[in-house]
Amino acid sequence: MTDISAQPTAGPLRRRVDTTSPEAQAAVRRRYRSEARFRTYGLLAILTAAVFLVVLLIDIGARALPAFTTTSLQLNVAVPSDLVPADQKNNPAAIRGADFLPVMREALKTAIPGVQGRGPERTLLRLLSPGAPDDLRERLAANPSLIGTTLKVPLLLSATADLYFKGAGTPINTRSSRGAATPSGTTGTITVSAPGNDFSENLVTVKLAVAERAQALAAEAERTARSSAPNAAERANELRAEAAAMAARAKDTAAAETLDSRLPSLLVEINGGLVKVSQLAADRIEGDVLLPLASTNEAKASDWRIVTYVTPESSRKIGDQEVAFLERFKANGQVEKGFNWRFFTSGDSREPELAGIRGAIVGTALTLLVTLVLCVPVGVAAAIYLEEFAPKNRFTDIIEVNINNLAAVPSIVFGLLGLAMFLNFFGLPRSAPLVGGLVLALLVLPTIIIASRAALKAVPPSIKEAALGVGASHQQAIFHHVLPLAMPGIMTGTIIGMAHALGETAPLLMIGMVAFIVDVPTSVTDAATVLPVQIFLWSDLPELAFKAKTAGAIVVLLVFLFVMNGTAIWLRKRFERRW
């Protein structure tokens, strides 16, 4: 009888793959193409992210450039001997408290002689910042013997005048004349006659602008007539009448035209002065003198020019009179640009040209100091306990889960906790770095605990086992051997957590660090603000100059973040060990 169990059993059937067949070669090519596409998609994703990052940095940098430069007038200032009483000339406090407004006014009038009238004088004085006398004030306080002398002093321009020299003004076109011209006066409202019809080209340009405005008014009248608003028909008729009157003015090419603020400003530069045109004809103009003329003599064709401020006055922050003064200062070589040290040495201010980030930087440093002192010892100690000493039970599991969950909690929740506990319950001072540091410590603590535990886990177990094998206690093995080797990773996690805290705004807003703080804080209990909150405050202000300040503060904040993250990378590369 045959023993069935002794018969050899057939092995599993194996499929033979012919790698040289066309089907196999096609499959290999498809796999390679798929891998190449995946690599291409990854490269495109990286390049796209890099392009967006570069565009963002370039845009922020371009907007921030005006914040790092400042413009001032270099004027000769005659300091009167009676600036302060004779018995107070050696008193720095009395000198700092003196009235420098008349001194500034006289220096400006000396720089542009002939300016008359309270209106032009006020306009001239508005070109200077309220902080313009500060440099002179400190110079006299340091050396009282300079009182009664004439000094060359840089006078800080206002934000509007400063932005004008930074490109926020108007393009200026200049056209030479063809014939002679004669002014009727040197100040006030005068007439300039040009028998050679030098103003004919300008008159044609104005007529075309009036015709365009007539067409725009007619189109607006039709839109108004079709609307269902109250009194729409009455308003449409008014617009049609205004459009018809303008169309008639445009057709009468020989008639004089009245210029207003909605048209480009036309000026005549003659006999060392400047006249703003209000009435324009082909052979003459009538206007107001912005810069006094030296005489009423006839000016030859090469001695006078027609100047156009292209941007209408109604579309500019700075008026024609101010532009005329600034251009005269520029022509005299009295405008000087320099690095804006005040941006880093001053606190916040309502005046854009005086505002700085020193208070925000000091407040940020104090807040981060409180955060660092609180969260690093507690976070590292908690990580060591949970990783090396805590028993593995349900209680520690719950703690670990809660720590991981706290790392994902929105930051504004920590702000609400700080508002309820530190301000309302404990009564700590509002808007103080102490409270800000406490809130940010709660925010950063889970991150430091998680990073420290990961660093401790990365140390090979053989290090601890070797220490225990030679007689060290568990505590000695951890603190003498494991912790020093994990310290680079712990420091890296700490710096990254502090960089996270540096960029937070929402929790600090909740605890009141949104106040307008002028003074630089000197302790953790003084009222202060931080860089992210300062950026938030400036970004909400309507003045154009604060937009540059906002971008400048963002650049400073990014520099701090890059330095902190770069330090973390350097520490990891410098002290990291390969096991």
Side-chain angles (χ1 to χ4, degrees):
M1 185 175 178
T2 305
D3 189 358
I4 298 177
S5 62
Q7 293 181 356
T9 58
L13 296 178
R14 295 183 179 179
R15 180 182 178 186
R16 293 184 178 181
V17 179
D18 185 5
T19 58
T20 62
S21 65
E23 293 81 2
Q25 294 294 330
V28 172
R29 287 193 296 270
R30 286 195 300 272
R31 186 177 64 190
Y32 286 161
R33 286 196 298 269
S34 176
E35 183 177 355
R37 285 196 301 271
F38 180 77
R39 290 181 178 178
T40 302
Y41 295 154
L43 181 61
L44 288 175
I46 294 175
L47 290 177
T48 302
V51 168
F52 279 116
L53 178 61
V54 170
V55 170
L56 174 64
L57 293 179
I58 291 176
D59 180 68
I60 293 176
R63 294 175 183 271
L65 280 178
F68 297 112
T69 59
T70 186
T71 312
S72 59
L73 296 179
Q74 298 288 334
L75 299 183
N76 293 319
V77 180
V79 183
S81 57
D82 58 348
L83 179 68
V84 293
D87 58 342
Q88 297 291 326
K89 283 190 176 181
N90 293 322
N91 185 354
I95 295 175
R96 290 190 179 96
D99 184 11
F100 283 84
L101 184 61
V103 179
M104 300 296 102
R105 184 185 296 112
E106 290 302 320
L108 290 170
K109 292 173 66 176
T110 302
I112 301 183
V115 176
Q116 299 178 358
R118 301 179 64 180
E121 288 183 4
R122 284 197 300 267
T123 302
L124 190 59
L125 194 60
R126 280 202 306 268
L127 296 178
L128 295 181
S129 167
D134 289 348
D135 292 336
L136 177 61
R137 183 181 286 113
E138 294 301 323
R139 189 172 174 183
L140 295 178
N143 188 3
S145 63
L146 296 176
I147 296 177
T149 63
T150 299
L151 307 173
K152 190 170 185 178
V153 181
L155 302 180
L156 185 66
L157 287 174
S158 67
T160 305
D162 180 61
L163 285 176
Y164 174 81
F165 287 115
K166 293 176 180 177
T170 173
I172 298 177
N173 296 334
T174 303
R175 180 170 63 85
S176 300
S177 58
R178 295 186 296 269
T182 305
S184 63
T186 58
T187 59
T189 302
I190 67 172
T191 301
V192 177
S193 302
N197 290 339
D198 285 89
F199 304 111
S200 57
E201 295 181 15
N202 303 100
L203 183 61
V204 171
T205 302
V206 172
K207 293 290 185 182
L208 292 175
V210 172
E212 292 177 0
R213 191 184 298 177
Q215 294 176 358
L217 287 174
E220 184 180 355
E222 296 304 321
R223 289 193 301 269
T224 304
R226 291 193 298 269
S227 69
S228 58
N231 302 324
E234 182 180 352
R235 175 58 181 163
N237 291 332
E238 294 177 357
L239 291 174
R240 290 191 185 100
E242 187 176 355
M246 285 193 171
R249 285 170 52 187
K251 289 180 180 179
D252 190 0
T253 57
E257 275 294 335
T258 300
L259 306 185
D260 56 31
S261 61
R262 292 177 293 178
L263 292 171
S265 298
L266 187 65
L267 304 102
V268 175
E269 186 178 317
I270 185 172
N271 290 349
L274 193 66
V275 183
K276 179 182 178 180
V277 179
S278 58
Q279 294 285 335
L280 174 64
D283 60 346
R284 60 179 175 81
I285 63 98
E286 182 181 329
D288 299 321
V289 174
L290 300 184
L291 297 175
L293 281 64
S295 67
T296 58
N297 297 334
E298 180 184 75
K300 299 179 181 179
S302 58
D303 295 336
W304 70 285
R305 299 181 300 174
I306 301 173
V307 182
T308 303
Y309 296 165
V310 177
T311 305
E313 191 174 19
S314 60
S315 302
R316 285 186 262 125
K317 291 287 186 180
I318 190 166
D320 291 335
Q321 179 71 79
E322 295 167 292
V323 173
F325 286 146
L326 293 175
E327 287 296 323
R328 177 58 59 87
F329 285 127
K330 182 179 179 181
N332 292 341
Q334 296 170 315
V335 177
E336 183 177 280
K337 289 187 177 181
F339 188 77
N340 189 10
W341 293 106
R342 195 186 301 268
F343 183 64
F344 297 96
T345 59
S346 301
D348 198 6
S349 174
R350 297 295 185 190
E351 303 296 334
E353 70 278 5
L354 301 177
I357 59 173
R358 182 185 174 189
I361 291 177
V362 174
T364 301
L366 293 174
T367 302
L368 291 182
L369 178 63
V370 173
T371 303
L372 188 66
V373 169
L374 292 176
C375 68
V376 172
V378 175
V380 175
I384 294 174
Y385 175 77
L386 292 174
E387 189 63 30
E388 301 293 344
F389 295 98
K392 304 301 179 184
N393 52 32
R394 186 180 298 274
F395 179 71
T396 55
D397 290 341
I398 293 174
I399 292 177
E400 292 178 2
V401 170
N402 285 329
I403 290 175
N404 293 328
N405 289 336
L406 284 174
V409 170
S411 59
I412 195 170
V413 175
F414 291 97
L416 292 171
L417 176 62
L419 176 63
M421 293 295 297
F422 302 133
L423 295 184
N424 295 339
F425 185 76
F426 290 106
L428 295 178
R430 184 178 295 272
S431 189
L434 175 62
V435 181
L438 289 170
V439 173
L440 293 181
L442 295 177
L443 175 66
V444 175
L445 195 59
T447 302
I448 294 180
I449 293 175
I450 294 171
S452 300
R453 292 191 65 185
L456 293 170
K457 285 181 181 179
V459 178
S462 58
I463 302 293
K464 182 173 66 174
E465 293 170 359
L468 295 174
V470 297
S473 66
H474 189 196
Q475 179 179 348
Q476 290 174 329
I478 298 302
F479 286 96
H480 295 178
H481 300 278
V482 177
L483 183 60
L485 295 176
M487 191 55 66
I490 293 174
M491 288 189 297
T492 301
T494 300
I495 294 175
I496 292 175
M498 296 302 292
H500 177 203
L502 177 63
E504 283 296 337
T505 305
L508 301 180
L509 296 179
M510 295 303 300
I511 62 170
M513 293 191 78
V514 70
F516 173 71
I517 308 297
V518 177
D519 298 327
V520 178
T522 57
S523 69
V524 295
T525 57
D526 291 343
T529 187
V530 293
L531 271 175
V533 176
Q534 188 68 77
I535 293 170
F536 171 77
L537 291 174
W538 281 349
S539 65
D540 197 41
L541 297 176
E543 289 89 346
L544 186 61
F546 275 116
K547 305 303 178 185
K549 297 284 185 179
T550 302
I554 290 174
V555 169
V556 174
L557 180 61
L558 288 177
V559 168
F560 277 123
L561 291 174
F562 290 158
V563 169
M564 295 181 71
N565 285 283
T567 304
I569 295 173
W570 180 82
L571 288 174
R572 186 169 65 247
K573 296 294 184 182
R574 175 69 176 80
F575 298 104
E576 188 177 30
R577 294 191 180 186
R578 301 291 183 181
W579 307 103

